[in-house]
Amino acid sequence: MKYNPNFSTAFLALFLLLPILTISSERKQKENVYVKTKFSLSKKELKIGGNAFIIVKFIPKEKIHINIAVYPKFEIDSLVPVSLSENIFVPRAKDSTYMNVKNNLRQEFTVNKNAAKGKYILKGRLTYLFCNEEEDWCNRFVQEFELPFAIK
């Protein structure tokens, strides 16, 4: 077998680039191919001690449902001066353990009393369960979100 310098150079380039390609793909936000989500805040300007809601609109593909037997769970970055309340409003479909996606999911939060005025980004994760009843499967998904707001 003859030595091919072009093959060796190409192999070396691929070997060196592979870790970089892997790192950049890991940073990419993963998306749910079965359910699209749209996040917003009920208010973008808040007062110290004030309340607002994280609002989530679910847009599932046909035959996909959001299962609320295990309620969706929110987690937020501890660096943001807000606290999640226990008030989570999940619209339920009639006679079902599925969410009525015509209405929005709403999670209440409160601005901490020791918060400083300024601009912030509420970063967090929403964990939820989505199912295909026809094919008899369910999956858990963790969707990250970032929502800008200000404390006045």
Side-chain angles (χ1 to χ4, degrees), residues 118-131:
K119 293 183 178 183
Y120 295 91
I121 296 178
L122 179 57
K123 294 180 183 181
R125 290 156 301 288
L126 169 63
T127 304
Y128 62 93
L129 195 64
F130 65 99
C131 302

Side-chain angles (χ1 to χ4, degrees), residues 43-107:
K43 301 176 195 173
K44 291 196 178 194
E45 291 186 357
L46 302 163
K47 295 180 180 179
I48 294 173
N51 294 352
F53 290 93
I54 301 169
I55 300 169
V56 184
K57 173 73 176 167
F58 288 97
I59 307 165
K61 286 190 173 183
E62 191 174 336
K63 299 179 184 175
I64 300 294
H65 304 283
I66 307 302
N67 188 314
I68 57 175
V70 178
Y71 272 12
K73 179 184 173 189
F74 282 88
E75 295 175 75
I76 56 171
D77 186 340
S78 62
L79 299 175
V80 179
V82 301
S83 300
L84 294 176
S85 76
E86 291 186 22
N87 295 332
I88 183 169
F89 300 94
V90 183
R92 181 184 297 265
K94 283 188 176 183
D95 302 322
S96 176
T97 59
Y98 295 131
M99 181 178 158
N100 177 355
V101 294
K102 292 180 182 174
N103 298 313
N104 296 328
L105 174 71
R106 296 181 300 144
Q107 169 67 61

Side-chain angles (χ1 to χ4, degrees), residues 33-52:
V33 296
Y34 295 100
V35 181
K36 298 239 182 270
T37 50
K38 293 183 180 178
F39 289 83
S40 61
L41 294 176
S42 61
K43 301 176 195 173
K44 291 196 178 194
E45 291 186 357
L46 302 163
K47 295 180 180 179
I48 294 173
N51 294 352

